[in-house]
Amino acid sequence: MHHIPQPVPRKAVTRTRRLARWAVRHRKVAAAHLLRGICYGAGTGAIGLLTLWFQKYI
């Protein structure tokens, strides 16, 4: 008796392709959100450092 390899489940392939298509469609939005988050983080860090400096020297 020969072993016949099982095919990859179609649902898994479809889910992967669907996720890839979603990522391509939404990459501009994701990049904008990433940039916004980086800016918020940098601003929060700068204000935090400025506050520490202000408390220490003034």
Side-chain angles (χ1 to χ4, degrees), residues 22-56:
W22 181 89
V24 168
R25 283 194 316 264
H26 292 90
R27 68 178 172 209
K28 287 183 182 180
V29 174
H33 283 295
L34 181 63
L35 179 61
R36 184 178 181 184
I38 290 170
C39 290
Y40 274 120
T44 302
I47 294 298
L49 289 174
L50 186 62
T51 302
L52 288 174
W53 177 83
F54 187 75
Q55 287 177 349
K56 186 173 181 177

